[in-house]
Amino acid sequence: LAKTTQPISMDSYEGQEVNITCSHNNIATNDYITWYQQFPSQGPRFIIQGYKTKVTNEVASLFIPADRKSSTLSLPRVSLSDTAVYYCLVGDPTDSWGKFQFGAGTQVVVTP
Amino acid sequence: NAGVTQTPKFRVLKTGQSMTLLCAQDMNHEYMYWYRQDPGMGLRLIHYSVGEGTTAKGEVPDGYNVSRLKKQNFLLGLESAAPSQTSVYFCASSYSRTSGGAYTGELFFGEGSRLTVL
């Protein structure tokens, strides 16, 4: 089964850049890496997705090295509203039916 | 466009009672999933479905049953509720793999159903 490993928590101040690295050694050739954000009492929501190299959208950037065994989510200039749990998700390479399993996630706390 | 809707949003049960959680999606997604999330924990997959009439077990299937009689609905049942099933339950749906085999992996989640078993 594809497993992901992330830091349990990260603290930051407003205006700083936050980088969260996820390890996924068993990622399949055709699988994408997807990051989700979850606020308390809400379901996770999609923030960014990539396959290799770098992807950027209006919210974040995703850096993926050539071997794809890890990925780094970068949140530029965080604000208090970025306090949330962030999950790294990859497809299960042993299950062609697309079963997805979440890891424990990274709790990001932004303070003034 | 409602997306993914879960019913009910809150429920209190006594040990041994049964209930069904309903998940409905209007995006014509093939895949649907049920997760549970305990306080301070990540999401754990209970059951999932890759199409109408097909279901499969996830990480923590014991004590739950599911059915996918219609493509848009995915039901999660608890036949005999236990306090250990106190949790927040999330339903999600997604597209199936592309014709090229690559899976984009974007899940669309409902708002959650908070279940308490006394």
Side-chain angles (χ1 to χ4, degrees), chain A residues 30 37 50 54 60 64 68 71 73 81 83 85 88 91-92 95 99 107 109:
Chain A
N30 291 335
Q37 175 190 56
K54 177 182 175 182
I64 306 168
R68 302 197 336 120
S71 59
L73 175 71
S81 62
T83 293
V85 179
C88 165
D92 183 347
D95 189 340
K99 179 174 64 176
Q107 173 69 63
V109 177

Side-chain angles (χ1 to χ4, degrees), chain B residues 46-109:
Chain B
I46 305 171
H47 286 279
Y48 65 101
S49 168
V50 298
E52 183 177 322
T54 303
T55 64
K57 296 179 180 180
E59 296 177 82
V60 289
D62 295 341
Y64 305 95
N65 57 74
V66 288
S67 64
R68 184 101 179 266
L69 299 180
K70 294 182 179 180
K71 185 177 182 179
Q72 64 268 34
N73 295 337
F74 195 29
L75 279 65
L76 178 71
L78 286 72
E79 291 186 348
S80 180
S84 61
Q85 294 178 304
T86 293
S87 189
V88 179
Y89 292 84
F90 288 100
C91 176
S93 68
S94 69
Y95 295 104
S96 61
R97 287 184 181 269
T98 66
S99 59
Y103 190 86
T104 60
E106 180 173 356
L107 300 173
F108 296 81
F109 282 86

Side-chain angles (χ1 to χ4, degrees), chain A residues 47-73:
Chain A
I47 51 175
I48 198 167
Q49 182 181 89
Y51 183 79
K52 61 181 179 181
T53 62
K54 177 182 175 182
V55 179
T56 298
N57 62 21
E58 65 278 7
V59 176
S61 294
L62 180 59
F63 299 91
I64 306 168
D67 66 5
R68 302 197 336 120
K69 293 184 182 299
S70 67
S71 59
T72 298
L73 175 71

Side-chain angles (χ1 to χ4, degrees), chain A residues 3 30-32 34 36 38 41-46 49 87 89 92 95-104, chain B residues 31 33 35 37 41-43 45 48 50 54 57 59 90 97 101-107 109-111 114:
Chain A
K3 294 291 186 182
N30 291 335
D31 280 324
Y32 281 63
T34 311
Y36 290 82
Q38 185 181 28
S41 302
Q42 294 185 24
R45 69 171 186 171
F46 170 90
Q49 182 181 89
Y87 295 96
L89 200 61
D92 183 347
D95 189 340
S96 61
W97 283 10
K99 179 174 64 176
F100 291 99
Q101 295 182 337
F102 282 74
Chain B
Y31 292 178
Y33 313 80
Y35 292 88
Q37 186 172 38
M41 305 279 288
L43 287 86
L45 183 64
Y48 65 101
V50 298
T54 303
K57 296 179 180 180
E59 296 177 82
F90 288 100
R97 287 184 181 269
Y103 190 86
T104 60
E106 180 173 356
L107 300 173
F109 282 86
E111 295 183 351
R114 186 176 297 275

